[in-house]
Amino acid sequence: MIVPTYPPKPVPGDRIAVVSPSSGLPGLLPLPYELGLARLREEFGLEPVEYPSTRTMGSTARQRADDLHAAFADPMVKAVMASIGGDDQLTVLPLLDRELIRSHPKPFFGFSDNTCLLLFLRNLGIVGYHGACLMTELGRPYALHPVTAASIRAALFTSGPYELRPAERFRDTDRDWADPATFDVEPEVRDGAGWIWHQPDRVVEGRTWGGNLEILSGLLMADREVAAAPEAAEGGVLFLETSEEMPRAEEVFRILRSMGERGLLARFSALMMGRAKAWSFDQPNDVAGRLRYAEGQREAVLRALTTYAPGMMAVFDVDLGHTDPQVVIPYGGVVRLDGPARRITVTY
């Protein structure tokens, strides 16, 4: 089994590649993108480097793969960050030069559809970082969320343990990125209730595997980057999040049931479940509706665990997905869940 290693970290003043392996949305919605670029420079001291398809909607899978090759091969680029997610990165995976990327390991940051590339890197023996897409986190309206900023800074520049904390207040609603007024005011937030622990009777430490649940479903169906999944999962920590498409609770259960039926789910020692995104422009739930949706997702996950992994520890409502704030999770890196103390520590 390949044990992933942490690639060298950048330092302020270094160059960071900004790529769009899924969608060239920066070309359509430049406001959060330009804000994210400015914050990379001004708040993190890094110099962003763009590529031909970074701002190009409708770029081909080959063009996006070429950008990734250029970013990883450039010795002056010390880290790589996705502009945003999407739904087409699956088509890029077969075009990637495994030896080129393995020979030039760099920290890669992204989430959602970037689960594809994060799993690809894990299989090459490279720890990636789930979180911190440029438009969604660094381009946050008004100001960076302090929880997000601290986690990104630690993941970018430091090595070692980093304790996560539940967000006291969070946001799962959005405003129009095309409207400049969106970026002039602090987003609306509401009180969080902390993490929800299931069977917190022990301490679990292991390497992570997972990401966005819907993207993992597609990878499993296409049989891409999952051939080593049972071996890679053994004793590890599964982490999952769901997207702004807001899958129904029954769909969440069915995906986990499929993982259970192939013998994958039971191999993990613990699960971290991201706080559910329970509002979208297509489904603008009120607060009561959002609470019902989140509870339905938790029930679906627990139903799958009861069937396929009854002894598994689980932690719900961790800020690792499509809500705000967002913490960075090392993909293939070490996570420690201390159930009795209700503590989560990641290793950056």
Side-chain angles (χ1 to χ4, degrees):
M1 181 177 72
I2 296 175
V3 177
T5 58
Y6 291 82
K9 299 294 184 77
V11 298
D14 281 343
R15 294 181 178 182
I16 182 170
V18 179
V19 293
S20 296
S22 300
S23 169
L25 202 60
L28 290 182
L29 295 168
L31 294 178
Y33 180 70
E34 294 290 351
L35 182 56
L37 293 177
R39 286 176 176 155
L40 273 180
R41 295 187 182 100
E42 297 164 9
E43 302 199 28
F44 293 92
L46 297 172
E47 183 57 37
V49 179
E50 298 183 65
Y51 294 81
S53 69
T54 302
R55 302 191 192 215
T56 304
M57 282 297 293
S59 60
T60 67
R62 171 55 67 188
Q63 289 170 323
R64 285 173 273 146
D66 288 346
D67 284 356
L68 287 169
H69 293 151
F72 276 92
D74 187 343
M76 300 302 293
V77 168
K78 303 303 182 181
V80 183
M81 180 175 286
S83 65
I84 200 162
D87 66 359
D88 193 53
Q89 202 171 116
L90 183 73
T91 66
V92 176
L93 290 179
L95 305 177
L96 295 178
D97 185 330
R98 306 181 85 87
E99 290 308 313
L100 183 153
I101 294 175
R102 181 187 284 115
S103 300
H104 301 85
K106 294 174 182 179
F108 171 76
F109 291 80
F111 74 108
S112 193
D113 197 29
N114 295 290
T115 294
C116 294
L117 188 53
L118 288 163
L119 181 53
F120 174 90
L121 292 171
R122 191 191 199 281
N123 288 340
L124 293 182
I126 301 169
V127 172
Y129 295 90
H130 179 277
C133 281
L134 187 125
M135 292 177 72
T136 49
E137 275 66 54
L138 278 84
R140 181 184 187 267
Y142 193 70
L144 282 169
H145 194 291
V147 170
T148 303
S151 179
I152 294 174
R153 191 176 302 279
L156 266 172
F157 299 126
T158 70
S159 299
Y162 182 86
E163 186 174 348
L164 306 183
R165 299 292 178 91
E168 295 181 3
R169 296 175 67 78
F170 75 96
R171 171 179 63 93
D172 58 2
T173 58
D174 300 305
R175 295 181 64 194
D176 184 3
W177 276 353
D179 183 358
T182 292
F183 300 89
D184 293 338
V185 296
E186 178 72 21
E188 294 183 7
V189 295
R190 57 195 180 97
D191 291 339
W195 297 328
I196 299 172
W197 290 77
H198 171 69
Q199 300 186 151
D201 55 347
R202 60 196 180 282
V203 176
V204 171
E205 183 171 289
R207 293 187 177 270
T208 61
W209 191 98
N212 180 264
L213 185 63
E214 299 105 297
I215 300 304
L216 285 172
S217 176
L219 288 166
L220 289 162
M221 285 190 285
D223 196 22
R224 290 207 178 137
E225 300 303 323
V226 295
E231 182 182 0
E234 194 66 50
V237 175
L238 176 64
F239 75 99
L240 300 170
E241 55 100 3
T242 53
S243 76
E244 74 279 4
E245 294 182 356
M246 295 169 53
R248 295 183 302 112
E250 197 60 30
E251 181 181 353
V252 170
F253 171 75
R254 288 169 180 166
I255 296 172
L256 291 173
R257 181 178 62 188
S258 295
M259 293 174 66
E261 286 292 326
R262 68 185 293 158
L264 179 57
L265 201 58
R267 290 179 177 260
F268 294 100
S269 297
L271 165 68
M272 291 191 298
M273 193 75 195
R275 187 189 302 277
K277 175 75 168 173
W279 183 100
S280 72
F281 288 108
D282 293 330
Q283 299 182 64
N285 291 330
D286 60 15
V287 172
R290 283 178 257 167
L291 291 171
R292 287 194 299 271
Y293 177 83
E295 181 61 28
Q297 276 211 357
R298 281 195 295 272
E299 291 176 356
V301 173
L302 289 172
R303 181 153 58 108
L305 295 186
T306 299
T307 304
Y308 295 102
M312 186 182 291
M313 177 196 295
V315 190
F316 293 88
D317 288 358
V318 183
D319 297 292
L320 58 83
H322 280 70
T323 55
D324 172 57
Q326 183 195 72
V327 295
V328 176
I329 302 295
Y331 198 109
V334 176
V335 172
R336 178 183 174 87
L337 304 177
D338 186 334
R342 306 297 199 272
R343 295 176 66 180
I344 301 176
T345 304
V346 299
T347 299
Y348 290 149

